Amino acid sequence: MSSLPEASDANGLLQPGQIIRPMLKKTEVPALVAKLYGLTVVSVKELNSYDDKNYFIQVQPKIDNPHMTDLCPHGYVVKVTNSLDSKNTELMAAQNDMMLFLHSRGINVPKPEKNVHGTYMRREKMEVNVDDFVQNNADESPSGEYMVRMLTFVPGKILHQVKYTSQLFYECGELAAKMDNELMPFTITTLTKTAKNIHSCHASSHQHSSMHPPSRNLEAWNQRVVPLLPTLDRGMIHGDFNEQNIIVDSAPEDPDDYHVTAIIDFGDIQESCYIFEVAITIMYLMIEVDEMPPNDAGGHVLAGYLKHRRLSEAEWGVLRECVAARFAQSLVMGAYSYEQDPGNEYLLTTARRGWDVLATFWSAPKEEVLERWREIIRSYEK
């Protein structure tokens, strides 16, 4: 597998005033796809994205690409990566490697397709109208280079679009654990840090402390979690297992009975602690749930996860702090990114209820939270 060089925080984290999102317009996508993949686009739809540009496309059956033999019947997603990550070709290669690896292991994920040059990615220079360019972009001139990839489209709905159920949360935990198990042989020596890496939660909170002062849960992170990091089980993880990246689908005979089928968006893969995968999943599923108390969500996720992977006593001991740290990190980074990209409402997904949910979660005694989770886990064992 790929081996990635270490990068300094200055190169790996979003800096103040830096606007990294590609300036590609929807109308420019067909020409880009024809040039790079030899396909004729018949429809284009822009998808939500944090830092990148993602487009769902349907194409004509004709292929003018010697490296593609079959077409995905569901269409494709064209991913144009932000200028910061586009500079790290090793990181892009690692993401492709992970998706291809999981696909070969039977995990339902998007599969990268080769372009006309026989590669899974290509950096393209894109011109933009100066009038459209954000003037305080400290990273580049009004034209930049962005990595372009095309992945098979995974049909279904994102979890965010359907009614939450305890069964869906259980299945989210199952998929996260199955994926972590399959990734155990998949190794990359080191990954460049990203702003959403949970290891960066302390740094990112202080970087933007003028917006939201560091909270007590980040102090708990430093005191209780950081000293244990060298002892926790580690491996490659997805790193962003959330309601926007989890795909669900239903059978035609029962269209309202949704089940978890896939995971998408490998932009935050990292070599990290397995407990972080669990904490990230729990945190995001707590955000908008109305069907149960948010604090209960973790119990259903853990019940599914523990069916396939165990947690050590040390991992149990820091799980609550990891969930809270990811809350604080996501809320601060989302608010900061929105200041740099006003109008991108996707960046505020966590913030709409996040601060209140975090406050309720953190105010509950730790043992009370853990015992409630264990009670829910036991209910699945009957």
Side-chain angles (χ1 to χ4, degrees):
M1 294 300 154
S2 302
S3 176
L4 303 185
E6 195 71 55
S8 67
D9 286 350
N11 291 327
L13 296 177
L14 185 64
Q15 302 300 308
Q18 188 175 4
I19 305 220
I20 60 176
R21 209 164 187 234
M23 296 290 175
L24 182 70
K25 295 180 179 178
K26 177 180 174 180
T27 54
E28 299 169 325
V29 174
L32 182 65
V33 172
K35 174 185 175 182
L36 288 183
Y37 292 93
L39 301 175
T40 302
V41 174
V42 296
S43 66
V44 183
K45 178 183 178 182
E46 185 166 1
L47 305 175
N48 284 335
S49 180
Y50 199 90
D51 291 323
D52 308 323
K53 285 278 191 172
N54 295 329
Y55 297 93
F56 169 55
I57 64 169
Q58 297 277 11
V59 300
Q60 291 182 0
K62 180 183 177 181
I63 305 174
D64 188 15
N65 181 346
H67 306 285
M68 288 183 67
T69 55
D70 300 309
L71 289 175
C72 176
H74 308 297
Y76 297 92
V77 174
V78 177
K79 295 184 69 68
V80 185
T81 303
N82 69 78
S83 59
L84 188 63
D85 288 337
S86 288
K87 295 174 182 177
N88 193 337
T89 55
E90 292 86 357
L91 174 61
M92 299 288 100
Q95 294 170 6
N96 291 337
D97 284 349
M98 183 181 283
M99 285 184 279
L100 290 166
F101 181 86
L102 287 172
H103 183 268
S104 72
R105 296 296 187 101
I107 302 293
N108 192 9
V109 299
K111 182 174 77 71
E113 295 284 6
K114 287 185 177 180
N115 55 39
V116 296
H117 304 282
T119 62
Y120 288 111
M121 58 187 179
R122 188 173 178 87
R123 190 182 288 114
E124 286 289 306
K125 191 175 183 64
M126 298 180 187
E127 301 291 336
V128 298
N129 189 308
V130 176
D131 293 336
D132 295 334
F133 186 71
V134 181
Q135 295 300 320
N136 72 334
N137 191 342
D139 180 54
E140 56 192 338
S141 64
S143 63
E145 290 189 336
Y146 305 91
M147 197 69 77
V148 180
R149 292 176 291 171
M150 189 174 75
L151 314 177
T152 56
F153 178 75
V154 178
K157 295 184 177 181
I158 59 173
L159 179 62
H160 176 73
Q161 294 174 320
V162 305
K163 182 179 179 180
Y164 289 169
T165 65
S166 57
Q167 180 61 31
L168 283 173
F169 284 13
Y170 179 90
E171 292 176 11
C172 287
E174 276 199 290
L175 180 56
K178 289 177 181 178
M179 181 180 62
D180 288 346
N181 282 339
E182 293 296 343
L183 285 172
M184 288 182 68
F186 181 88
T187 56
I188 299 175
T189 18
T190 179
L191 276 174
T192 301
K193 292 180 182 178
T194 66
K196 292 180 74 176
N197 186 323
I198 198 168
H199 281 288
S200 307
C201 68
H202 178 76
S204 61
S205 68
H206 281 280
Q207 182 180 6
H208 314 307
S209 59
S210 60
M211 298 168 49
H212 298 290
S215 62
R216 280 179 292 178
N217 50 68
L218 285 173
E219 294 174 10
W221 161 271
N222 290 322
Q223 294 172 5
R224 302 173 198 170
V225 183
V226 172
L228 290 178
L229 290 179
T231 70
L232 300 174
D233 288 342
R234 303 176 66 90
M236 292 301 302
I237 66 172
H238 179 274
D240 202 19
F241 209 95
N242 68 51
E243 80 290 351
Q244 301 284 341
N245 295 334
I246 297 164
I247 301 298
V248 300
D249 210 349
S250 60
E253 61 271 18
D254 195 353
D256 295 323
D257 184 24
Y258 288 99
H259 293 277
V260 173
T261 59
I263 181 69
I264 62 173
D265 194 347
F266 286 71
D268 291 297
I269 67 169
Q270 54 199 262
E271 192 280 330
S272 194
C273 302
Y274 289 120
I275 192 63
F276 294 167
E277 192 92 275
V278 187
I280 289 166
T281 307
I282 291 172
M283 172 259 159
Y284 280 113
L285 296 185
M286 290 174 65
I287 290 294
E288 294 185 357
V289 61
D290 291 319
E291 292 74 19
M292 68 184 76
N295 284 8
D296 283 2
H300 299 286
V301 172
L302 285 165
Y305 192 88
L306 291 171
K307 181 179 178 181
H308 304 279
R309 284 190 64 86
R310 64 177 291 274
L311 296 184
S312 67
E313 285 303 312
E315 289 171 325
W316 271 109
V318 298
L319 179 54
R320 175 175 173 262
E321 287 77 11
C322 290
V323 172
R326 180 56 174 216
F327 256 116
Q329 178 191 42
S330 184
L331 288 163
V332 169
M333 288 302 300
Y336 172 77
S337 297
Y338 187 80
E339 280 193 352
Q340 307 307 309
D341 188 9
N344 185 0
E345 298 299 319
Y346 177 68
L347 299 173
L348 298 180
T349 301
T350 304
R352 290 190 179 98
R353 285 180 58 187
W355 290 109
D356 289 340
V357 174
L358 172 57
T360 300
F361 175 69
W362 193 249
S363 65
K366 178 175 179 175
E367 286 309 314
E368 179 182 302
V369 172
L370 295 181
E371 179 51 37
R372 176 57 182 158
W373 286 349
R374 290 190 175 100
E375 180 184 345
I376 292 171
I377 293 165
R378 289 193 292 270
S379 73
Y380 285 89
E381 299 169 352
K382 296 177 181 178

